[in-house]
Amino acid sequence: MTAATPTTQDELKALVGRAALDYIGHGRIIGIGTGSTVNCFIDALAQQRERIIGAVSSSEATTQRLRAHGIRVFDANEVEELEVYIDGADEIDPRGFMIKGGGAALTREKIVAAQARRFVCIADQSKWVEVLGRFPLPVEVIPMAAQRIIRQFAALGGTARVRLRDGAPLVTDNGQHILDVTGLAITDPPAFESMVNDWPGVVTVGVFAHQRAHVCLLGTPEGVRTITFDGPGR
């Protein structure tokens, strides 16, 4: 009997979560990101957790899920280099540049990605775009700078709003706030990332161009499409 073709977004996420296991070596420490697609990967990894020594986590939520599965979590400062970093994306383009931060973990995600030799992005096909910017761009900011940074995005044609949770500004794992920016088409992600990172008060912008993906495992109804990104951009 043939397996049913995955069609729902949840089924596609589970498909790429399982596929990412092929990128994990035995006896290594790996980096793990945050989000619903990553949760599918963690649940698949839990069935083979003896393959790895442990993981460096990009968020408190991921840490809790890993520990619940009996997977050891290392502090980033305990590990010099990671074999691979597995994470999702809110958008990914044909050059491997991404928008990330829908789960408010962008700063720690970027830190862990910078420690890894290889970034494997797992995503369903709805995340594939030609130009970044359709998904609201997350920017982690120091709260006292929020209104000035909102005005700086307005000067670029973007509309930035403070992300709220239960009517109050969401507070990240780092104690900061998130702006979500709409109305931008990010045609030069590396230059845009560098520019916004230089604005006083910005902790991290959710464009991942300097830490772009090496490989994308894209879930489609036809199966997992493996896309490898070559050339400059890191």
Side-chain angles (χ1 to χ4, degrees), residues 174-190:
N174 309 309
Q176 311 300 343
H177 291 174
I178 297 281
L179 301 180
D180 290 311
V181 188
T182 56
L184 299 176
I186 304 169
T187 55
D188 187 349

Side-chain angles (χ1 to χ4, degrees), residues 141-142 144-146 148-149 152 195-203:
V141 300
I142 294 171
M144 69 176 290
R148 180 179 49 75
I149 294 168
Q152 287 186 265
M195 176 186 70
V196 177
N197 273 340
D198 280 344
W199 292 354
V202 169
V203 179

Side-chain angles (χ1 to χ4, degrees), residues 123-174:
D124 66 85
Q125 63 181 3
S126 70
K127 307 302 192 301
W128 184 263
V129 298
E130 291 301 316
V131 177
L132 300 179
R134 182 180 63 194
F135 187 89
L137 171 68
V139 185
E140 185 164 357
V141 300
I142 294 171
M144 69 176 290
Q147 292 305 314
R148 180 179 49 75
I149 294 168
I150 286 171
R151 292 192 292 273
Q152 287 186 265
F153 277 117
L156 298 179
T159 301
R161 295 182 176 87
V162 176
R163 188 183 301 183
L164 303 178
R165 177 178 288 171
D166 300 326
L170 178 147
V171 178
T172 69
D173 288 346
N174 309 309

Side-chain angles (χ1 to χ4, degrees), residues 26 32 68 114 159 179 193-194 217:
H26 287 263
I32 300 181
T159 301
L179 301 180
E193 180 182 4
S194 295
L217 303 179

Side-chain angles (χ1 to χ4, degrees), residues 24 28-33 41-42 45 49 52-58 62-63 66-67 70-76 78-79 82 84-85 112:
I24 304 235
R28 305 293 177 87
I29 300 173
I30 65 172
I32 300 181
F41 166 70
I42 293 170
L45 177 64
R49 61 181 179 271
I52 63 169
I53 297 171
V56 172
S57 162
S58 69
T62 291
T63 295
L66 289 167
R67 287 178 174 160
I71 297 170
R72 182 179 177 187
V73 178
F74 289 84
D75 185 279
E78 297 178 287
V79 182
L82 300 167
V84 66
Y85 178 58
V112 183

